[in-house]
Amino acid sequence: MQTPPLPKGTRDFYPESMRIQNFIFDIWRKAALRFGYEEYEGPMFEHLELYTGKSGEEIVSQLYDFKDKGDRHIALRPEMTPTLARLVIQKGNSLKKPFKWFSIPRLFRYERAQKGRLREFFQLNLDIIGTESIYAEADLLSAIAYMLMDFGLKTEDFSIGVSSRKLLNAYLAEIGVSEVSKVYPVLDRRLKIEKEDFYSELAATGLSLEQTKKLDQFMDSKSIEEVEAKISSDESKAALDEIKQLFKTLQASGAGKSITLDLSIVRGLAYYTGIVFEVFDKGKSMRAIAGGGRYDSLCEKLGGDKVPGVGFGMGDVVLANLLEERGLLPSSKQSLDFFVASFTNDMDKIFEVAGKFRKLGYSVNHPLSPTKLGKQMEQANAQGAKVVVYVDGEKAPAGGFEYKVLSTGTLGAGTLEEIAQLKV
RNA sequence: GUGGGUGUAGCUCAGUUGGUUAGAGUCCCAGAUUGUGAUUCUGGUUGUCGUCGGUUCGAGUCCGAUUACCCACCCCA
């Protein structure tokens, strides 16, 4: 038969790519743990209703779904938040709140692949459940800033744009717009479409020219002062106060340099209730690195009690593209502490000595069949070994070994303990 | 779902106005070198020229269709 190809929008992870993937996951995980988030996981597929309940039926065309043998309608998870909400609802009041959780789920979306966007990918998710406090947002946003810096990015390499659904809602009410569900999708595309289309599409949702004009100007606001001058209602002021506090706290946390007010950020779906944010590389040459917001009514929508929550997702694809472009990815080459070789192909001795080094915690490899020494050296070099240890060198001291440091070509002999010190 | 670009060796690519047996580099394998790798030299393997059809004495090359990938649009949790 002909070998079937790699499915559309998926990736193979040969060892070289897997090392890069692990590098990213390690930094993600360490950063999340450093901020006190606990890791959780869920199944890779869920009942379809978990997603339609939150986002409506349209979502079905954009995910992988199937009927299982028990005629259950199943979907491969396209995002993690509904699973998280399910976990929260199931445990009910027994979870001590607030709590901070993270996960690195493998996600699936049925859509056409393009740069920065695949059908199967990974996404770091950080969420804080059980508090309406704006300091939860502050915690998440500083975690983002710190972890991006862990990757070697500078604060001026990325920007975290912050907006607020609460503020936008209040302002819409202020200018007399009540039917907001149709308005949001248009607002979300505001910067992508022509000005006249923006006006005509909003007119189609029932907005007057004057309302649209005000809204357009409002969303152009670049500073808190600018917004302050445009709003008047108590609701708007309360929403803006929240943003003020958030910015102040982020300054104190050290993440302030990357944060900007950007009211053009709306985000597609309807369940966000407060702060929304998106992270971009400077220059916005790529898709969003991360995005998220507050979803205080999600659990309620999915059949549980009302539990406030806020969180974000950061995909591996765009991030890896960005790090690659900036030269911040590590070498994808294998590395080993020691390679154990033998002049006489004494395989048993090789296994014995390799075992001794491994017991000390070092990574060790050796030939798997009798091979002449030149080949063994080639293998050691190809596998990134730092030191080759010869098990049967004639110049070795009693109980010790001859060795060669590959980077310098230095030959020597010493005891196991002395050789162990060479690795670094 | 819509539009554009590209398909030649495992990888990166060359291939003349259509002409005979399709090339280079790299990778891989072996040897030079039986107690020493990465640098050097020598030799070797690798192809349904994406697929199907058309034009032609003759197609990797021209035409049509199709398919895959890439890029953009739609959408973006």
Side-chain angles (χ1 to χ4, degrees):
Chain A
M1 72 177 275
Q2 210 177 3
T3 312
L6 177 71
K8 196 191 276 285
T10 64
R11 292 167 288 176
D12 288 325
F13 291 94
Y14 285 89
E16 306 84 77
S17 331
M18 202 63 214
R19 270 186 280 279
I20 300 297
Q21 188 80 331
N22 283 333
F23 164 79
I24 290 173
F25 283 19
D26 283 351
I27 290 185
W28 273 351
R29 187 168 277 118
K30 279 176 191 151
L33 291 170
R34 199 146 41 93
F35 270 79
Y37 290 73
E38 294 180 277
E39 188 163 8
Y40 70 98
E41 238 308 9
M44 241 179 274
F45 53 85
E46 296 269 8
H47 289 283
L48 180 69
E49 304 90 275
L50 190 66
Y51 305 109
T52 53
K54 174 191 154 195
S55 315
E57 289 294 330
E58 332 79 70
I59 198 121
V60 177
S61 67
Q62 291 166 60
L63 49 71
Y64 282 90
D65 66 317
F66 61 93
K67 284 273 179 67
D68 73 5
K69 289 173 183 172
D71 208 36
R72 286 170 284 256
H73 205 161
I74 299 297
L76 299 186
R77 63 185 179 195
E79 57 167 325
M80 198 56 173
T81 315
T83 296
L84 172 61
R86 189 174 54 71
L87 295 181
V88 171
I89 291 166
Q90 280 170 187
K91 287 268 188 172
N93 284 328
S94 66
L95 289 169
K96 189 165 178 58
K97 299 183 190 71
F99 58 86
K100 313 202 296 186
W101 284 3
F102 82 97
S103 191
I104 306 180
R106 184 189 282 257
L107 303 177
F108 307 86
R109 292 180 188 174
Y110 192 83
E111 54 191 356
R112 193 175 290 228
Q114 49 189 290
K115 191 176 176 118
R117 193 183 194 188
L118 300 174
R119 289 185 166 186
E120 182 193 34
F121 59 97
F122 296 86
Q123 189 186 63
L124 171 69
N125 276 248
L126 262 64
D127 290 272
I128 299 182
I129 304 296
T131 175
E132 293 181 5
S133 165
I134 191 69
Y135 296 105
E137 276 88 336
D139 193 78
L140 288 164
L141 290 175
S142 38
I144 290 177
Y146 273 92
M147 77 173 66
L148 290 179
M149 288 189 272
D150 288 346
F151 282 108
L153 292 166
K154 306 262 180 355
T155 46
E156 58 270 20
D157 289 336
F158 58 92
S159 72
I160 304 177
V162 176
S163 181
S164 166
R165 278 288 181 90
K166 206 186 279 181
L167 176 62
L168 204 49
N169 266 331
Y171 186 72
L172 283 166
E174 224 177 86
I175 62 173
V177 179
S178 52
E179 185 56 45
V180 294
S181 64
K182 283 184 191 152
V183 173
Y184 276 130
V186 185
L187 300 187
D188 190 35
R189 287 185 297 137
R190 179 168 157 274
L191 296 178
K192 289 184 185 171
I193 59 180
E194 295 299 323
K195 211 57 155 184
E196 44 193 280
D197 292 335
F198 179 68
Y199 275 73
S200 63
E201 282 186 39
L202 280 183
T205 69
L207 265 68
S208 71
L209 182 61
E210 194 191 346
Q211 285 174 324
T212 302
K213 217 176 250 174
K214 279 186 174 173
L215 198 49
D216 196 21
Q217 286 169 8
F218 182 72
M219 291 176 79
D220 267 334
S221 305
K222 290 283 176 278
S223 70
I224 287 172
E225 295 71 32
E226 217 177 308
V227 177
E228 206 151 32
K230 289 172 185 164
I231 60 173
S232 53
S233 73
D234 289 345
E235 288 76 19
S236 296
K237 283 174 185 164
L240 186 62
D241 282 344
E242 214 177 51
I243 294 178
K244 276 187 196 167
Q245 183 59 59
L246 177 60
F247 276 52
K248 184 164 169 281
T249 306
L250 287 171
Q251 285 300 338
S253 82
K257 274 187 200 159
S258 310
I259 314 289
T260 57
L261 180 72
D262 185 352
L263 296 187
S264 66
I265 292 170
V266 177
R267 291 185 71 71
L269 290 188
Y271 68 90
Y272 286 119
T273 55
I275 296 290
V276 287
F277 53 88
E278 286 180 349
V279 185
F280 282 94
D281 67 295
K282 239 351 185 275
K284 282 202 179 185
S285 66
M286 296 181 178
R287 288 171 183 284
I289 302 166
R294 177 165 284 281
Y295 47 86
D296 285 348
S297 46
L298 181 60
C299 286
E300 203 175 12
K301 275 190 182 166
L302 292 176
D305 294 334
K306 182 166 181 176
V307 181
V310 57
F312 73 85
M314 180 184 293
D316 68 317
V317 184
V318 175
L319 180 63
N321 286 348
L322 178 62
L323 296 177
E324 162 94 72
E325 190 189 284
R326 300 293 161 91
L328 293 173
L329 291 176
S331 159
S332 62
K333 229 189 138 214
Q334 182 180 8
S335 72
L336 281 175
D337 295 326
F338 296 103
F339 189 92
V340 179
S342 165
F343 296 109
T344 61
N345 285 309
D346 187 340
M347 297 303 292
D348 290 343
K349 184 80 176 170
I350 284 175
F351 272 77
E352 180 199 323
V353 174
K356 286 180 179 168
F357 279 93
R358 286 172 178 147
K359 260 186 192 157
L360 296 174
Y362 298 109
S363 57
V364 182
N365 227 349
H366 56 71
L368 290 173
S369 62
T371 326
K372 59 183 184 181
L373 194 62
K375 287 290 156 206
Q376 298 183 51
M377 296 303 293
E378 223 172 81
Q379 200 184 330
N381 191 55
Q383 294 178 356
K386 296 183 180 72
V387 178
V388 176
V389 177
Y390 306 95
V391 298
D392 42 12
E394 288 155 358
K395 297 171 204 141
F401 310 98
E402 283 182 36
Y403 64 83
K404 179 170 187 175
V405 180
L406 287 183
S407 58
T408 59
T410 313
L411 292 165
T415 64
L416 186 140
E417 288 72 21
E418 284 165 354
I419 294 172
Q421 299 305 313
L422 291 172
K423 175 263 152 192
V424 171

